[in-house]
Amino acid sequence: MATITRTPVGIIGAGPAGLFLAHLLHRQGIETVILESRSRAEVEGTIRAGVLEQWVVDLMNQMGLGERMMREGHFHSGITLRFNGESHHIDMAELTGGKRVTVYAQHEVIRDLVAARLEDGGEILFGVSDVQLHGVETDQPSITFRRSPDGPVEELRCDFIAGCDGFHGPSRQTIPTAIRSEHQIVYPFGWLGILTSAPPSHPELIYAAHERGFALLSTRSPEVQRLYIQVDPKDDIANWSDARIWSELHTRLEDKSGWSLTEGPVFQKGIIAMRSFVCETMRHGRLFLAGDAAHIVPPTGAKGLNLAVADVLVLSRALTAFFKSNDGDGLAGYSAQCLRRIWKAERFSWYMTTMLHHNPNETSFEQRIHLADLDYVVHSRAAMTALAENYVGLPME
């Protein structure tokens, strides 16, 4: 017979959505158990960039989770758009009443959240397998799993289940296809990203549109920089020597001003594909999807982690209202409320992606429209303000 335990909220996935949800609920006295298929080392060691919106930074500080972020993060008040060999600075702080973004890698956020969770005495079961959801349409849902591949089946009984287990996890697949609509764009290009040991070449991010393809200059620390170039997502990284990568970065990023990119040893590189994806609905019975289980954005708009946190902030408030006041309105409206914000973020991410990338499948007319869009953005205060408002983060409802 399976070992049975109980928790008010069972969380599947120890990514940003699951960890933030656990912390938010813990602060309301609502306990949770997190189930994660990867080891702690794998969770904390998956290197991912991160740009945090202003409200997410404020939330982390309010929760007492932001000390290392405030010490080691990079605070950017603007970005540079570069095209036709010219650079145009977007002063986001000036356009949005002082808001800015913080460059602080997602894996660093996760390390902070995991450490704080364990320090609080919260439970994270790493390395579980054979995770299955049961009874989500009833008031007694449960999750079965094994702590190891050969271990006995255990059952976690819950009042609610939060599916924070990413695009390939079991949670979304538990929702019947008859009531689950999925919307997707797979882009015909990807990003080749590198980490290099070098000092910063520029104080803020540079987004460059070039006829050879998009390029992005970002940062990770005073000693390590992160850069990307647009490539065929099916290309083999073995085809890209360091010399070839640097040549493309110089070509796509440098402008007529004489600014020069600083090179350094490349110690990590890889190619990622890009897609936009949304699942409607995000709720089925007592199962609630959050983060990448419900939506994916291309990295151009820097919205992925921020959307995940927005989801679980809404969900935590709804669960708190249910447990403390028996008020189920927030839970009933969870999917609709989240999707309003998600579709706006998807729109912005699609807009930034299509405007900045060279799409070989587009007509010359469409490509010229994107250049006209860039030209409009950098010469219209209204357009710059719209871009800045979206980039630093739309207000939470």
Side-chain angles (χ1 to χ4, degrees), residues 43 93 109 111 113 118 122 169 176 207 209 227 255 267 289 328 347 360 363 386:
V43 169
V109 175
R111 288 172 185 169
L113 296 177
L118 298 177
Y207 289 79
L227 301 101
D255 63 4
F267 62 89
L289 304 182
R347 182 209 68 83
T363 64

Side-chain angles (χ1 to χ4, degrees), residues 286-360:
R286 292 204 167 192
L287 166 66
F288 297 83
L289 304 182
D292 285 358
H295 46 77
I296 293 174
V297 289
T300 327
K303 292 286 164 256
L305 183 150
N306 300 287
L307 271 185
V309 180
D311 291 346
V312 296
L313 183 57
V314 173
L315 183 55
S316 69
R317 290 170 175 171
L319 289 168
T320 299
F322 179 87
F323 283 115
K324 294 192 172 183
S325 306
N326 198 30
D327 180 356
D329 289 348
L331 294 174
Y334 167 75
S335 184
Q337 183 176 348
C338 288
L339 284 166
R340 286 187 64 201
R341 185 180 189 88
I342 288 162
W343 278 114
K344 291 173 185 175
E346 292 281 355
R347 182 209 68 83
F348 178 69
S349 299
W350 171 88
Y351 161 74
M352 290 285 283
T353 301
T354 54
M355 180 172 64
L356 288 162
H357 288 73
H358 179 77
N359 187 339

